[in-house]
Amino acid sequence: MEEGERLLHGSSFGTAAAAYAAHRPDYAQAAVRWALGPAPGARVLDLGSGTGKLTATLVALGVDVVAVEPDPAMLAELRRALPTVRALPGSAESIPLPDASVDAVLAGNAMHWFDMAVAGPEIARVLAPGGLLAGLWNLMDDRVEWVAGLARTGGSAAVGPRDTPAAWRAATAGMHLPGTGVAALFGSPKQAEFPHGQRRTADSLVATLATRAGMLVMPEPEREATLARMRAFLASRPETADGEFILPMLTAALRLRRLGEPAVV
């Protein structure tokens, strides 16, 4: 994705903040525990926190979490849903926290928006010695036949290269790297996947897919046509035509250690 396109997609969510809060899934607790496992303490930054989907999982696990989010509308939804959480405006490239103030930095469906040439040093700055960086993504399990069919019907704007287990490992393996000519600050990448699911109806699943960045920036006639194709597909499938069903998912995690620190991962 070109830089201009990345910025356009990454800034698209504020217009759909309420829908994002209503429809996006949480994260499998097992995946979050794995991401945090070797951290030296329980102080966690949820970076690019959006409306607080990952933040809520971290709260449920009992860690000391602070959330940082650049979009005012998304941040307002987080503060409404989680009023006791410290939630600050900021970005991966400009984190409003002191040096060595957290033990882990987690990013839920957000790390692919970071400019790691700038964000890498910022993340390293706020991490305590032995601290970790982890990205988490919720994937649709396209090993299930009807899910694969839905992905084909919606196209890459609705179900992209980081949204299915067949592609996410390749798409995220080098995401911590800052680009040519700049030294990486994180290494020893490890990837893992954990079963997850979300209770949906056909309408609510289409509403969820409508909050994907590729859908949000799509011209309105094309967007409506794509949503209509997905509704028709779901109506044609016995698994999804009537009432509620569980969307088969995985929460995938990429865990990294800060270079120069003890190899704790």
Side-chain angles (χ1 to χ4, degrees):
M1 184 182 293
E2 297 294 329
E3 180 65 12
E5 187 180 4
R6 184 182 69 84
L7 292 173
L8 175 64
H9 283 224
S11 63
S12 65
F13 296 108
T15 59
Y20 195 107
H23 296 296
R24 283 293 186 105
D26 62 1
Y27 293 82
Q29 287 194 3
V32 180
R33 289 193 191 96
W34 180 87
L36 292 174
R43 300 172 301 167
V44 180
L45 166 60
D46 181 2
L47 186 56
S49 57
T51 63
K53 295 296 183 177
L54 177 57
T55 316
T57 305
L58 290 164
V59 169
L61 291 176
V63 303
D64 177 14
V65 60
V66 57
V68 169
E69 165 58 36
D71 188 278
M74 302 285 274
L75 190 61
E77 288 290 337
L78 187 154
R79 287 170 168 165
R80 181 190 59 77
L82 299 166
T84 63
V85 170
R86 184 184 178 206
L88 305 173
S91 68
E93 296 76 21
S94 181
I95 301 171
L97 295 178
D99 295 358
S101 57
V102 296
D103 300 298
V105 174
L106 269 60
N109 275 84
M111 194 172 165
H112 49 278
W113 303 122
F114 299 170
D115 176 1
M116 287 303 293
V118 182
E122 268 292 271
I123 295 168
R125 178 185 65 80
V126 302
L127 278 172
L132 302 173
L133 168 64
L136 295 103
W137 290 265
N138 276 320
L139 315 178
M140 294 174 60
D141 192 350
D142 65 347
R143 297 169 299 185
V144 177
E145 195 277 331
W146 74 261
V147 177
L150 178 63
R152 290 190 297 269
T153 300
S156 62
V159 184
R162 292 176 305 274
D163 297 330
T164 61
W168 89 270
R169 285 180 175 263
T172 60
M175 199 159 281
H176 58 292
L177 300 174
T180 304
V182 182
L185 294 172
F186 300 90
S188 302
K190 292 186 180 294
Q191 295 173 306
E193 301 165 4
F194 299 84
H196 197 29
Q198 185 185 28
R199 187 171 294 279
R200 298 279 78 184
T201 64
D203 286 342
S204 66
L205 178 51
V206 171
T208 301
L209 295 171
T211 67
R212 300 292 177 91
M215 297 295 297
L216 293 173
V217 302
M218 189 180 284
E220 189 62 23
E222 185 181 351
R223 182 174 186 269
E224 288 304 319
T226 302
L227 295 175
R229 286 199 306 273
M230 290 191 290
R231 287 191 194 95
F233 175 84
L234 292 170
S236 74
R237 296 291 308 203
E239 302 94 337
T240 58
D242 296 310
E244 290 188 333
F245 53 88
I246 299 296
L247 172 65
M249 298 173 62
L250 300 166
T251 296
L254 168 69
R255 189 177 71 195
L256 306 149
R257 69 174 180 90
R258 180 180 169 183
L259 293 176
E261 301 293 348
V264 295
V265 176

